[in-house]
Amino acid sequence: MAMAHRIGGIPLATVQRLPIYLKVLREMRRAGRQIVSSAALAHLLRLDPVQVRKDFGRLGQAGRPRIGFAIAALIGAIEARLDWGRVNAAVLLGAGHLGQALLGYQGFALHGLEITAAFDPSPRVAGRRLHGIPIHPLEDLEARLPALGARMAILATSPWAAQETAERLALAGIEGIWNFTGEILTLPPRVLVQDQDIAIGLAVLSSRLCTRVGGAPPLSA
Amino acid sequence: MAMAHRIGGIPLATVQRLPIYLKVLREMRRAGRQIVSSAALAHLLRLDPVQVRKDFGRLGQAGRPRIGFAIAALIGAIEARLDWGRVNAAVLLGAGHLGQALLGYQGFALHGLEITAAFDPSPRVAGRRLHGIPIHPLEDLEARLPALGARMAILATSPWAAQETAERLALAGIEGIWNFTGEILTLPPRVLVQDQDIAIGLAVLSSRLCTRVGGAPPLSA
DNA sequence: TCGTGTGAATGTTTTCACAGCT
DNA sequence: AGCTGTGAAAACATTCACACGA
C-alpha cells in the first residue's frame, strides 16, 4: 500500500545512496584518482563496507581483490542508472521564493537537469527572466509545454495551488512531478510523484533533539 | 554503521510519517471534526490502516472500537513527540537564494520553529533585514549566538563554506544542524546532523522515470 | 457490523562470517 | 597481508489474519 521498494531491479535504499556515492567519486576523479576501495568510501560516508560492495554489485560493477573499484566505471554506471549522464529538460511551476532558489541552484547541472522554463500566475514575475530562464504566465502552460520537451515538472507553487496545477501538468502529459509543496497530490498513477517535504527532515531532527536530553518518555500520553 | 533506526523508542519510519498525520489531523480539527478512523486517514494518505493504528499505538494513543481515534489527543501526542507544540528558536546560516527562501517559508510556524537571526559573510546582505529577520555578518556568529537561545542551526551556505561553518556552530554549542548544503559534514557526535539533500529525491524520481519505459536493464555495466 | 489491537507471516535491508583472489 | 563476493543470519518494517469491544 505504500511505496515501490525496488526501482528497475535495484532496492530503493540503494538508489538513495547513489547520489552520495556519485558526488564523492566525482571529487576523487577530479583529484586524479582512479581506484577506490569499498572500505575507503565507507569510511568517508559512514557506511558499512559490505553495504558499499553490495550496492556496487547491484549496479553490475565488480571490484578487483587487493585493488578496489575503478572510479570511472562506477561513475558511468551510476550516471546511467540515474539518467544523470546527459541533460534532461524540466519545467518549474511557481517562481516565488522557493522557485527562485531552485532556479538559482547550480547543482542541477551535475544531476543532468536543466530548467528550460518557469511558469507563475503572478503578473509581477511572469514575462521576466530569472537566472536567464524565462518566466511565463501560468495560463500559457498547456500551449508552451509541448515545445519544451520536458518529461519532469518541479512543483513549487503555493500549497493551495498545488493540486490544481498538478492536474494541469498531468493532463498536459508530464510524466513525473517533483513536489516541493508539502501537499498530498491525487493524480492518475500514470504520473510519478516524488514528494520533497522538508517537514519530514525537520521532524526527524527535532524529535531527536527533543528525546536526547529533556526527552519525552518512551511511551505515554 | 549507518543511521539510528529508533528515536526515543519509536521507529524512524513512524517518526517520518508523523508530520503528514499532523497536517491532515490539523485540517480536520479546523473543520470541526473530533474523531477519525484509521481507515479514513489511511485512505487519505495512501497508507495501510493497520500501519496507522500501529503508529498511533506507539505514541501511546488508543482508539475506541467502533468509534475511532480522538483527533485532539492525536495532535497533542504528535506535537509532544516532535516538540512542535511550542516555538523553538533557530538560526540560519547563509542568506543566498536558498537561505532567503527558507526565511520566507511560512510553514515553520506550524512546525514550532522560528528563525530569530541569520548570518551571511557577504557585506551585500549582512546588516539588512529580510522578512523581518536581521542578517548579521558571519564574523559575529560566536558573539551573538549565546543571546539567541537557538539549539538548532539551519545550514544553507555555499557548499565550500559548509564544513567550516558547521565547525564554528559546533564549537559555539549548537546541538543540531539541519544541513541543506548537500555536503557531508564531519563533526563530533555530540552534534546531531540532519541532511536535507535534494539530490536524493531527484535520484529516486529520475531513476523511476528512466527505468519506466525506455528503461535500463535490471543488471548490466 | 464496524473499527481497534495484536501475534504471526512476509518482505526488505543491514550485518555477520567466511571463502577466494592476488 | 589486503580487499572482494556472497550465502546465512539478524534486525527492521509492512501486511495478513483474526480476536475482541461497543
Side-chain angles (χ1 to χ4, degrees):
Chain A
M1 195 88 196
M3 194 154 44
H5 285 284
R6 208 157 269 258
I7 299 172
I10 288 187
L12 175 64
T14 294
V15 172
Q16 295 182 129
R17 282 187 291 268
L18 296 185
I20 321 179
Y21 293 138
L22 184 59
K23 177 179 160 54
V24 176
L25 291 168
R26 280 171 167 169
E27 282 171 7
M28 289 177 169
R29 180 173 62 179
R30 199 176 320 128
R33 200 162 157 186
Q34 306 201 331
I35 299 287
V36 68
S37 73
S38 62
L41 261 178
H43 179 257
L44 230 58
L45 299 173
R46 286 192 194 68
L47 297 172
D48 190 288
V50 181
Q51 187 163 73
V52 175
R53 292 201 291 275
K54 291 219 154 149
D55 285 341
F56 291 170
R58 288 188 262 249
L59 292 172
Q61 293 299 304
R64 287 166 53 192
R66 170 87 214 207
I67 307 291
F69 291 83
I71 289 175
L74 288 175
I75 291 175
I78 296 175
E79 285 180 348
R81 172 62 55 172
L82 300 181
D83 200 22
W84 283 5
R86 62 198 170 92
V87 174
N88 288 304
V91 292
L92 174 72
L93 280 291
H97 292 300
L98 176 58
Q100 292 185 31
L102 291 168
L103 280 179
Y105 178 50
Q106 304 297 315
F108 286 142
L110 295 170
H111 306 143
L113 203 68
E114 186 189 2
I115 301 178
T116 51
F119 295 88
D120 195 281
S122 161
R124 294 188 48 189
V125 295
R128 293 173 54 197
R129 272 179 173 265
L130 289 164
H131 301 281
I133 292 142
I135 320 289
H136 302 298
L138 183 58
E139 58 191 27
D140 294 0
L141 177 65
E142 288 79 2
R144 289 189 183 268
L145 209 46
L148 291 167
R151 299 177 66 189
M152 188 192 304
I154 303 171
L155 192 64
T157 64
S158 57
W160 56 87
Q163 175 65 32
E164 185 195 330
T165 311
E167 286 172 13
R168 287 177 62 180
L169 288 165
L171 224 59
I174 280 288
E175 294 173 62
I177 294 180
W178 195 9
N179 176 27
F180 282 80
T181 67
E183 293 297 302
I184 298 145
L185 303 178
T186 304
L187 296 173
R190 187 181 57 72
V191 182
L192 295 177
V193 175
Q194 177 70 33
D195 289 310
Q196 187 80 38
D197 188 354
I198 66 169
I200 294 172
L202 179 58
V204 175
L205 179 55
S206 55
S207 70
R208 287 205 290 167
L209 269 176
C210 170
T211 54
R212 107 173 323 203
V213 258
L219 254 190
S220 77
Chain B
M1 196 84 196
M3 197 151 44
H5 284 284
R6 209 157 266 259
I7 299 172
I10 289 187
L12 175 62
T14 294
V15 173
Q16 295 183 131
R17 282 187 291 267
L18 295 185
I20 321 179
Y21 292 138
L22 184 59
K23 177 179 160 54
V24 175
L25 290 169
R26 280 172 167 168
E27 282 170 8
M28 290 176 168
R29 180 174 61 180
R30 198 176 320 129
R33 196 158 160 189
Q34 306 202 332
I35 298 286
V36 69
S37 74
S38 61
L41 220 45
H43 178 256
L44 232 59
L45 300 172
R46 286 191 193 71
L47 296 172
D48 190 287
V50 181
Q51 186 162 75
V52 175
R53 292 201 292 274
K54 292 220 154 148
D55 285 341
F56 291 171
R58 287 188 262 252
L59 291 173
Q61 292 300 303
R64 286 166 54 194
R66 170 88 214 206
I67 308 289
F69 291 84
I71 290 176
L74 288 175
I75 291 175
I78 296 175
E79 285 180 347
R81 173 62 55 170
L82 300 181
D83 201 21
W84 283 4
R86 62 198 171 92
V87 174
N88 287 305
V91 293
L92 173 71
L93 279 292
H97 292 300
L98 176 59
Q100 292 185 30
L102 291 168
L103 279 179
Y105 178 51
Q106 304 298 316
F108 286 142
L110 294 171
H111 306 143
L113 203 67
E114 185 189 2
I115 301 178
T116 52
F119 295 88
D120 195 281
S122 161
R124 294 189 47 189
V125 293
R128 293 172 53 195
R129 270 177 174 268
L130 288 165
H131 301 280
I133 292 141
I135 320 289
H136 302 299
L138 184 58
E139 58 191 28
D140 293 1
L141 178 64
E142 288 79 2
R144 288 190 184 269
L145 209 45
L148 292 168
R151 298 177 67 188
M152 187 193 302
I154 303 170
L155 192 65
T157 65
S158 57
W160 55 88
Q163 175 64 32
E164 186 195 332
T165 310
E167 287 172 11
R168 287 177 63 179
L169 288 166
L171 223 59
I174 280 289
E175 293 173 62
I177 294 179
W178 195 9
N179 176 27
F180 281 80
T181 67
E183 293 296 301
I184 298 144
L185 303 178
T186 305
L187 295 173
R190 186 180 57 72
V191 183
L192 295 177
V193 176
Q194 178 69 33
D195 289 310
Q196 187 80 38
D197 188 352
I198 66 169
I200 294 172
L202 179 59
V204 175
L205 179 55
S206 54
S207 69
R208 286 204 290 167
L209 270 176
C210 170
T211 54
R212 107 172 325 202
V213 258
L219 255 189
S220 76

